[in-house]
C-alpha cells in the first residue's frame, strides 16, 4: 500500500515538473517556424536510359525540359528557396543517387517528373504518386517500368541488395514506408492534380500510391508526377509543345507555392 502511494506521489511530482517546464518553454521561447528552404527537382531517366518512347520524342528529353521550367519558376518567383536538380543535361543518374542527392542536401521537398505510357493509344491524363502500396496490383506495370532503370546500372544486385524491380515479392519490404512524410506528400500531390485539372485543363487520373524506389528512399515529402502519356499522339504533341510545357510546369509550380504557404502557416 505504501509502495503504491509512493509511486503515485512520484508520478504526480514528475507530471507537475513537466507541466511547469512546458509552460515556461511556451512562454519563454517562440515556436520554431518551418520553412521550405530547399527543393530537389528530378528529371526522370537520362543518358542511356531514354524512358518511355513516343512517336516523335523520348521521355528523358521531355521531362528534362519540364524540370528546368519548374525550377526556373521557383528560382524567379520564390527566390528564398534553393533549387537543386538531379540532372540538367542528358545524363544517366542511378536511381539510388537521385534520392541520395536529396538526402545529402537535406531537402525539404523532392519532386520527380516523368511521362507515362501504355499499350492503348487512347489512354491519357496526368497522375501523381506518393509512396504506398494501395492498389499495388493495379499500378504494378508502371512501377516495374519506372524502377527497371536499376537493371541498367553496374553492380545493381549488390547496390540494391538483391532487390528485383520485376518481382512482386521484392516489394514486400516497401511496407516499411515513410509514414512520417505521407500526409505532406499527399497534400502536395493533391495540389498538383487539382491544379492540372482546374487551371491547366488537363484530364487528371488522380493521386495514387505506388512503391517507387526513389520515393521510398528519400527522407522528406516526395512525389512522382506522371505528366501525360507519350503513347497518346495528341498528348505527346502537347507535352512537346512550348505552350504545353509552360502550362504543365506552371501547374507544378503553383502547387509547390500553395504547399509552401500551407506548411509555413502552421
Amino acid at each position: 500500500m505504501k509502495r503504491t502511494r509512493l509511486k503515485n506521489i512520484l508520478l504526480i511530482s514528475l507530471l507537475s515538473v513537466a507541466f511547469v517546464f512546458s509552460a515556461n518553454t511556451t512562454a519563454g521561447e517562440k515556436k520554431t517556424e518551418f520553412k521550405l528552404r530547399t527543393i530537389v527537382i528530378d528529371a526522370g531517366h537520362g543518358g542511356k536510359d531514354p524512358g518511355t518512347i513516343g512517336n516523335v520524342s523520348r521521355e528523358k528529353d521531355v521531362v528534362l525540359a519540364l524540370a528546368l521550367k519548374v525550377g526556373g519558376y521557383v528560382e524567379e518567383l520564390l527566390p528564398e528557396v534553393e533549387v537543386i536538380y538531379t540532372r540538367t543535361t542528358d545524363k544517366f543518374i542511378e536511381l539510388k543517387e537521385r534520392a541520395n542527392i536529396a538526402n545529402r542536401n537535406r531537402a525539404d521537398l523532392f519532386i520527380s517528373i516523368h511521362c507515362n505510357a501504355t499499350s492503348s493509344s487512347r489512354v491519357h491524363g496526368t497522375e501523381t504518386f506518393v509512396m504506398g502500396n494501395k492498389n499495388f496490383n493495379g499500378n504494378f506495370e508502371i512501377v516495374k517500368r519506372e524502377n527497371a532503370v536499376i537493371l541498367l546500372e553496374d553492380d545493381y544486385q549488390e547496390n540494391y541488395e538483391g532487390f528485383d524491380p520485376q518481382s512482386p515479392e521484392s516489394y514486400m519490404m516497401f511496407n516499411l514506408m515513410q509514414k512520417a512524410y505521407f500526409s505532406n506528400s499527399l497534400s502536395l500531390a493533391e495540389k498538383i492534380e487539382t491544379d492540372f485539372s482546374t487551371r491547366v485543363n488537363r484530364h487528371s487520373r488522380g493521386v495514387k500510391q505506388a512503391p517507387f524506389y526513389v520515393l521510398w528512399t528519400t527522407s522528406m515529402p516526395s512525389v512522382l508526377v506522371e505528366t501525360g502519356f507519350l503513347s497518346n499522339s495528341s498528348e505527346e504533341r502537347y507535352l512537346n509543345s512550348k505552350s504545353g510545357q509552360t502550362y504543365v510546369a506552371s501547374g507544378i509550380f503553383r502547387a509547390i507555392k500553395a504547399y509552401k504557404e500551407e506548411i509555413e502557416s502552421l
Side-chain angles (χ1 to χ4, degrees):
M1 185 69 175
K2 287 183 179 180
R3 183 175 297 177
T4 302
R5 287 180 61 190
L6 180 60
K7 283 184 177 180
N8 289 338
I9 291 170
L10 287 172
L11 179 60
I12 292 170
S13 300
L14 287 171
L15 289 172
S16 299
V17 170
F19 177 80
V20 171
F21 180 78
S22 176
N24 288 338
T25 301
T26 303
E29 296 180 12
K30 191 174 181 179
K31 180 182 176 182
T32 301
E33 295 180 353
F34 178 80
K35 298 288 185 182
L36 180 60
R37 301 183 186 280
T38 306
I39 177 172
V40 169
I41 300 178
D42 171 44
H45 309 281
K48 63 182 178 180
D49 173 25
T52 189
I53 299 175
N55 291 323
V56 297
S57 62
R58 301 171 297 185
E59 179 181 4
K60 67 174 184 175
D61 301 320
V62 177
V63 298
L64 178 58
L66 288 171
L68 294 175
K69 273 187 175 293
V70 174
Y73 291 141
V74 175
E75 290 166 340
E76 178 185 356
L77 301 171
L78 298 175
E80 70 277 15
V81 178
E82 180 185 9
V83 177
I84 297 171
Y85 302 93
T86 56
R87 68 182 181 96
T88 57
T89 61
D90 184 17
K91 180 181 180 182
F92 180 76
I93 306 290
E94 293 183 349
L95 202 58
K96 182 177 286 188
E97 178 59 15
R98 296 173 189 268
N100 286 343
I101 290 171
N103 293 337
R104 282 197 304 269
N105 287 281
R106 298 183 179 181
D108 302 304
L109 201 59
F110 177 87
I111 299 179
S112 188
I113 301 176
H114 292 257
C115 294
N116 220 330
T118 185
S119 58
S120 171
S121 62
R122 301 176 64 182
V123 178
H124 67 289
T126 65
E127 47 195 21
T128 300
F129 288 86
V130 297
M131 177 60 210
N133 280 322
K134 186 177 181 180
N135 195 27
F136 172 74
N137 292 331
N139 296 323
F140 188 49
E141 288 306 313
I142 185 174
V143 169
K144 283 197 298 182
R145 185 175 69 248
E146 297 295 1
N147 286 338
V149 62
I150 290 172
L151 303 178
L152 297 177
E153 300 177 19
D154 297 331
D155 302 321
Y156 76 88
Q157 290 179 316
E158 179 180 345
N159 291 337
Y160 293 90
E161 299 176 345
F163 173 73
D164 179 2
Q166 307 296 322
S167 168
E169 289 75 19
S170 285
Y171 290 90
M172 291 179 67
M173 69 177 182
F174 281 74
N175 286 325
L176 299 173
M177 58 183 288
Q178 296 166 301
K179 293 182 179 179
Y181 307 112
F182 181 79
S183 61
N184 280 7
S185 300
L186 186 62
S187 175
L188 175 61
E190 289 173 344
K191 287 175 173 55
I192 291 172
E193 287 302 313
T194 297
D195 200 285
F196 279 164
S197 177
T198 62
R199 299 283 298 276
V200 188
N201 198 30
R202 301 292 308 287
H203 169 59
S204 172
R205 294 165 57 86
V207 174
K208 301 181 179 181
Q209 295 182 27
F212 293 113
Y213 193 93
V214 73
L215 298 182
W216 179 58
T217 49
T218 46
S219 301
M220 72 283 304
S222 308
V223 299
L224 187 147
V225 186
E226 294 285 358
T227 56
F229 286 77
L230 295 186
S231 50
N232 179 293
S233 58
S234 176
E235 200 150 69
E236 182 182 19
R237 285 194 300 272
Y238 177 84
L239 289 171
N240 278 276
S241 69
K242 184 177 180 180
S243 60
Q245 291 180 0
T246 297
Y247 284 132
V248 170
S250 297
I252 296 174
F253 166 74
R254 283 191 295 269
I256 293 170
K257 184 174 182 291
Y259 171 82
K260 180 178 186 296
E261 292 170 352
E262 178 182 78
I263 60 173
E264 291 183 356
S265 68
L266 297 177

